[in-house]
Amino acid sequence: MFRNPANRQLVRAINRSTILDAVRENGPVSKAEIARSTGLSQATVGAIVPSLIERGLVTEGDPTASGIGRPPTLLQLDRESYNVIGLKLMDDHIVGAVTDLEAETLGQSERPVSDLDPASVVETAAAVVDDLIQIAGLGRERVLGVGIGMAGVIDTNQGLCRHSPFLGWRDVPIGELIEARLQIPVRVDNDVNTLALAERWFGVGQKVDDFLLVTLGRGVGFSVVVGGNVYRGARGGAGEFGHTVVGDSDELCTCGNRGCLEASVGEPALLRRAQELCVARDLPSPATAAELYAAASQDPTLVDLLSHAGSNLGRGLANLINLFAPALVILSGEGVVGGEILLGAVETELDLHVHEALRGSYEFVVEPLRDEAWARGAASLILDAVFESPARSRSIPLWEWDAPP
Ligand SMILES: [Zn+2]
């Protein structure tokens, strides 16, 4: 069937990631069990395992003496054999995390960004990566890859930032630029997609094939996992949930349109509106979202503002649930911290607008997040490239397997 050598290579790559993921999920595990759980032949498993051991990704344990006959050798993922780095690029700083192969964070670093010129951002990113390599202590050659998450429309296959409103970038080949500077494989994706990958591999989305992730903060982020894969759309543009129109608002959005969800529930929009309301009544203005939430507990006008924003978000979310019928909905991001009034309004709208047939069919999880979680999410982009079958993720292999380790 696969006479073409390129196809044979692809089949080997698929088998390799399938076996590696089986070891990750079920280890310590015997070759016979791997063959059983993956449906691959014992001969195929036996042919591929040595290359994983040679790379140091998998270790052989001592044979366990149980049952009759020669005990099988058990294989285990050597989670500490390699490091993975994740960076979240923002317009004022870059935060990075270094993890092991199970996405356990080993250290973090953060550096300010003073100049948004791509060349300057690349230098700051490289400095954060150097910090993280130092912290982890395994050395540069043991970094499997650097995952980068950033807001905006990202073409993952090309490592291209098509449009980032926060950084003011259009068509910047950021993946290529950072990879050339670091000489380490680099993958880039929209930051909310990287969070969804982190949830799918290591968080509440494990073993959930269809789920939605919405983040609330400066903007409204969205990622949808369909059949186990992040849906990115043509040229990476899927997920502009924040720029859908769900309420009766006429507020000007950062995108230039009016009435977008983000112009109602995004943190800058909420704060600006709250400040106007407070100034008009000679009250002290909240300077941060935390101050706004604290002030709202004493002020019915601010309660109305937050409830209205929550209603818009809830209505939008109900539309998404009706469209995708997910098994899980995760509401996450900095903006959910302390936002009980807003979240209450979201849940009220879900009760009202989720289609009767879908009620009770999904789990709704609220997960506050901090910067480090975004960086860890970006690292999952690399872990996805390691463990996910290239047939499913269409991810580009991180290394030439036929080259010496
Ligand atoms: Zn907009």
Side-chain angles (χ1 to χ4, degrees):
M1 198 164 115
F2 291 110
R3 283 194 202 99
N4 180 332
N7 284 343
R8 271 207 305 276
Q9 262 181 13
L10 177 64
V11 171
R12 249 183 103 75
I14 291 169
N15 292 343
R16 204 155 33 224
S17 52
T18 304
I19 292 167
L20 192 55
D21 193 39
V23 175
R24 179 191 73 83
E25 212 176 323
N26 309 317
V29 63
S30 69
K31 286 180 203 168
E33 279 172 65
I34 295 171
R36 247 195 318 276
S37 71
T38 59
L40 295 171
S41 70
Q42 291 223 31
T44 302
V45 175
I48 283 183
V49 161
S51 68
L52 299 176
I53 292 171
E54 195 187 349
R55 285 276 167 180
L57 289 162
V58 167
T59 52
E60 284 178 301
D62 292 330
T64 48
S66 66
I68 307 155
R70 195 161 64 91
T73 305
L74 297 183
L75 301 167
Q76 201 163 1
L77 181 72
D78 186 358
R79 60 185 297 170
E80 292 168 358
S81 58
Y82 286 91
N83 292 145
V84 167
I85 288 177
L87 303 180
K88 162 130 163 144
L89 302 192
M90 285 165 281
D91 58 357
D92 54 353
H93 67 293
I94 294 176
V95 55
V98 56
T99 80
D100 67 11
L101 292 178
E102 298 263 24
E104 184 77 35
T105 302
L106 307 171
Q108 292 155 12
S109 171
E110 192 176 318
R111 284 179 182 252
V113 167
S114 49
D115 178 356
L116 294 181
D117 179 61
S120 159
V121 171
V122 167
E123 284 311 309
T124 309
V128 174
V129 168
D130 285 343
D131 295 342
L132 294 168
I133 290 172
Q134 284 271 321
I135 292 168
L138 279 189
R140 199 172 192 85
E141 61 287 354
R142 286 274 153 178
V143 177
L144 264 186
V146 176
I148 293 173
M150 57 190 298
V153 176
I154 312 298
D155 186 330
T156 296
N157 287 337
Q158 301 200 39
L160 187 67
C161 170
R162 290 202 180 278
H163 181 44
S164 164
F166 293 155
L167 298 173
W169 289 359
R170 271 188 195 277
D171 294 328
V172 174
I174 187 67
E176 201 178 289
L177 293 172
I178 297 185
E179 191 166 289
R181 171 68 174 78
L182 292 175
Q183 297 295 307
I184 296 173
V186 169
R187 299 287 178 271
V188 193
D189 203 346
N190 171 274
D191 51 0
V192 187
N193 287 346
T194 69
L195 270 191
L197 283 175
E199 295 292 3
R200 166 157 151 56
W201 285 102
F202 307 102
V204 291
Q206 285 179 79
K207 300 189 195 306
V208 182
D209 275 347
D210 301 282
F211 69 88
L212 308 179
L213 170 70
V214 171
T215 60
L216 199 54
R218 203 160 133 191
V220 178
F222 173 64
S223 181
V224 55
V225 172
V226 181
N229 291 313
V230 170
Y231 177 78
R232 296 187 172 91
R235 294 157 50 102
E240 294 296 343
F241 175 46
H243 302 287
T244 57
V245 178
V246 287
D248 51 4
S249 154
D250 193 33
E251 291 279 328
L252 184 65
C253 181
T254 48
C255 72
N257 289 340
R258 286 188 177 274
C260 295
L261 177 60
E262 196 163 298
S264 155
V265 75
E267 243 173 53
L270 269 178
L271 265 180
R272 195 181 54 244
R273 192 76 195 102
Q275 285 159 355
E276 283 167 13
L277 289 167
C278 289
V279 166
R281 292 174 302 145
D282 271 340
L283 293 171
S285 281
T288 62
E291 283 181 31
L292 165 58
Y293 290 132
S297 63
Q298 321 280 338
D299 184 336
T301 310
L302 294 181
V303 169
D304 283 349
L305 173 72
L306 291 174
S307 308
H308 187 68
S311 297
N312 285 340
L313 177 62
R315 238 170 278 158
L317 214 44
N319 290 343
L320 292 176
I321 292 167
N322 292 341
L323 283 170
F324 289 101
L328 169 71
V329 178
I330 308 165
L331 183 57
S332 185
E334 300 78 1
V336 302
V337 183
E340 288 90 1
I341 299 164
L342 193 141
L343 293 176
V346 168
E347 297 205 38
T348 304
E349 293 299 309
L350 292 184
D351 289 343
L352 282 171
H353 296 295
V354 170
H355 190 269
E356 200 185 344
L358 299 176
R359 276 182 212 151
S361 69
Y362 64 92
E363 197 188 343
F364 183 57
V365 176
V366 177
E367 263 191 349
L369 265 196
R370 285 145 39 99
D371 277 0
E372 306 84 75
W374 289 99
R376 180 173 173 265
S380 301
L381 200 52
I382 298 300
L383 295 170
D384 183 63
V386 174
F387 295 115
E388 182 62 284
S389 159
R392 267 171 72 100
S393 68
R394 289 186 288 170
S395 58
I396 308 140
L398 285 171
W399 52 39
E400 285 294 328
W401 274 85
D402 300 323

